[in-house]
Amino acid sequence: MAILAVNAGSSSLKFSLHPLQGGQVQPSVLTGCIEGLEPAGAPEMVWSFAGQRQRQAITGQGDSPFQRALASLRSLLADLEGAPPIRAVAHRVVHGGQAFRESVLVTDAVLERLERLNSLAPLHQPHNLAGVRSFRQAFPALPQVACFDTAFHASLPDVASAFALPASLTEQGVRRYGFHGLSYQYIMDTLLAQSPRGRGRVLMAHLGNGASLCAAQDGRSCATSMGFSALDGLMMGTRSGTLDAGVLLYLMEQGWDHDRIQKLLYKQSGLLGVSGISADMRRLRADGSVAAQRAIDQFTYRVVRESGAMVACMGGLDVLAFSGGIGEHDAVLRAQVCDRLGWLGVKIDTERNALATQDSVQVVHAPGSSVEIWVVPTDEGRVAAREAAHLLHQGDDAIAPAPVLEMAD
């Protein structure tokens, strides 16, 4: 049997198939992404299985791009020779709020409660939940499991999660939740398995189109840069990160309404807004213009500044780990961040760092560095699959055999 892990976005659907062996979730045997799912888009599926990479256009009439994509995925799963049958579908859901602090089987009531959180993560939550609904219809016999990015941060102490607001608002759930939790769980598990320092003072940097930092001690989140929504903290691809609330009051005085402000903060700021060119760090690196460099410098500065805050909360640093699209592949940014954290005893190995762009865990600290530096390619799908397997078989020593479940027509 296997767990199908999916991440439904506004214009894409990422998926991976994770076999179960001896009760343990294994690395994926099938990975892929369907892009072009926006209205009037031209969906295309790219997938890898048994060492082969395939690409195919998704055609059809009448249905939405997402429905056509889902039908193509169903056909792919049915046709792949040697692919294990699916036991359950694990969904990445960005926000679990106060009610959901661990993964949960999806029901109508669960979906209704999660939809109340859409405004806290408007770029992700509505699309995550739309994906859940579509998979429930397409695979009605399969359990659907919601796995939350906020769950890893349930261990935040009150002093780290509470805003300086009246207690009545805190009691309503206006607090810091933190995100990228599936990624941080994977990074943390990797460090715990490979380094004796993993239980020490760890700073994890998930840097990509969405970007955040997480401080952890004894394997548990104790501080994070993201907060009530996925807007807080670091500068991101199109999101502003931390912003003086007075700016929003000023914009409201200038006549800006909710929708215009939301679009500014989520879609027109960050690397894109500062550069006026792109939200893609690779394109900005290649551009070479003053505007592109300004955006890169500001992004790097914010990572360094927020890192100092995380380290202060822990009283020092034992391990620094980079992940995410930028964190895994941008050696220049890693070197600049580590150089500016040199006062902590952080010393990066130039040659190791330059080579650490492959899809494997790499150690990149120099001899004599008092802080270990790791590059950990994240695998949120494997964490979601593991959560689903654990939820379905709590108390079992192994995954019990299950009947092959048919897909809906």
Side-chain angles (χ1 to χ4, degrees):
M1 306 302 294
I3 304 292
L4 177 65
V6 299
N7 181 4
S10 61
S11 62
S12 67
L13 173 65
K14 298 177 182 177
F15 57 89
S16 55
L17 188 64
H18 299 264
L20 301 169
Q21 295 181 3
Q24 300 298 315
V25 173
Q26 304 301 308
S28 60
V29 295
L30 168 70
T31 60
C33 182
I34 304 175
E35 297 183 326
L37 299 183
E38 64 275 8
E44 183 180 59
M45 179 163 59
V46 179
W47 50 273
S48 297
F49 179 73
Q52 295 187 345
R53 183 177 175 84
Q54 303 286 338
R55 181 185 297 270
Q56 68 181 74
I58 296 174
T59 59
Q61 300 293 329
D63 295 328
S64 69
F66 190 90
Q67 293 302 322
R68 297 199 301 273
L70 192 52
S72 295
L73 178 57
R74 287 171 48 204
S75 297
L76 173 65
L77 293 168
D79 294 342
L80 283 178
E81 185 176 350
I86 302 172
R87 176 68 180 88
V89 182
H91 297 264
R92 180 198 179 198
V93 177
V94 167
H95 215 308
Q98 292 195 107
F100 301 104
R101 300 165 71 89
E102 56 186 20
S103 299
V104 63
L105 281 169
V106 174
T107 65
D108 290 339
V110 166
L111 280 174
E112 182 180 352
R113 295 186 73 176
L114 291 175
E115 284 174 341
R116 301 173 192 169
L117 305 173
N118 281 354
S119 62
L120 305 188
L123 284 186
H124 304 91
Q125 191 87 351
H127 306 295
N128 295 159
L129 300 184
V132 174
R133 290 189 181 279
S134 295
F135 272 87
R136 290 183 82 198
Q137 294 176 356
F139 299 84
L142 291 177
Q144 309 286 323
V145 178
C147 306
F148 303 105
D149 259 337
T150 50
F152 182 72
H153 304 291
S155 57
L156 287 175
D158 290 343
V159 70
S161 65
F163 294 119
L165 293 171
S168 59
L169 289 175
T170 303
E171 292 165 1
Q172 292 176 33
V174 180
R175 56 179 288 272
R176 185 177 298 278
Y177 290 96
F179 300 91
H180 291 136
L182 296 178
S183 177
Y184 287 132
Q185 185 67 68
Y186 183 83
I187 299 167
M188 195 72 256
D189 290 345
T190 300
L191 295 174
L192 289 173
Q194 299 199 28
S195 172
R197 291 192 178 189
R199 292 204 174 274
R201 299 164 297 185
V202 176
L203 176 61
M204 296 176 284
H206 179 105
L207 307 178
N209 189 54
S212 69
L213 299 177
C214 175
Q217 292 184 273
D218 198 26
R220 295 163 60 86
S221 174
C222 60
T224 185
S225 61
M226 278 187 170
F228 177 67
S229 72
L231 275 175
D232 202 8
L234 302 180
M235 174 178 170
M236 304 176 221
T238 62
R239 282 170 269 174
S240 62
T242 298
L243 186 68
D244 184 345
V247 174
L248 306 184
L249 296 176
Y250 169 78
L251 294 177
M252 292 170 65
E253 291 171 356
Q254 300 302 307
W256 288 50
D257 61 14
H258 170 277
D259 290 349
R260 189 179 178 189
I261 292 175
Q262 184 181 78
K263 185 176 182 181
L264 169 72
L265 298 180
Y266 278 98
K267 297 183 178 181
Q268 298 176 331
S269 299
L271 290 171
L272 175 63
V274 174
S275 70
I277 299 169
S278 176
D280 191 321
M281 181 67 83
R282 294 166 298 183
R283 183 176 171 187
L284 295 178
R285 291 279 186 204
D287 186 274
S289 67
V290 172
Q293 191 59 51
R294 181 185 302 117
I296 294 170
D297 290 344
Q298 193 167 336
F299 183 93
T300 306
Y301 169 79
R302 293 287 288 273
V303 173
V304 172
R305 191 183 76 170
E306 295 293 332
S307 294
M310 298 289 114
V311 172
C313 290
M314 295 186 290
L317 184 63
D318 298 307
V319 179
L320 171 61
F322 292 94
S323 194
I326 297 173
E328 294 169 24
H329 298 105
D330 195 325
V332 175
L333 180 129
R334 291 195 300 263
Q336 290 177 338
V337 169
C338 290
D339 287 346
R340 296 181 191 181
L341 296 178
W343 56 277
L344 288 166
V346 177
K347 297 180 181 179
I348 197 166
D349 185 293
T350 302
E351 184 175 354
R352 285 181 175 180
N353 182 51
L355 295 174
T357 55
Q358 51 190 305
D359 293 330
S360 62
V361 177
Q362 301 285 318
V363 175
V364 297
H365 52 268
S369 177
S370 60
V371 176
E372 292 184 355
I373 310 171
W374 293 72
V375 179
V376 182
T378 193
D379 191 345
E380 295 163 314
R382 188 172 180 182
V383 174
R386 190 180 63 214
E387 288 287 307
H390 176 72
L391 182 65
L392 293 173
H393 304 280
Q394 284 180 333
D396 289 349
D397 293 330
I399 298 297
V404 176
L405 299 174
E406 298 294 333
M407 303 177 194
D409 292 330

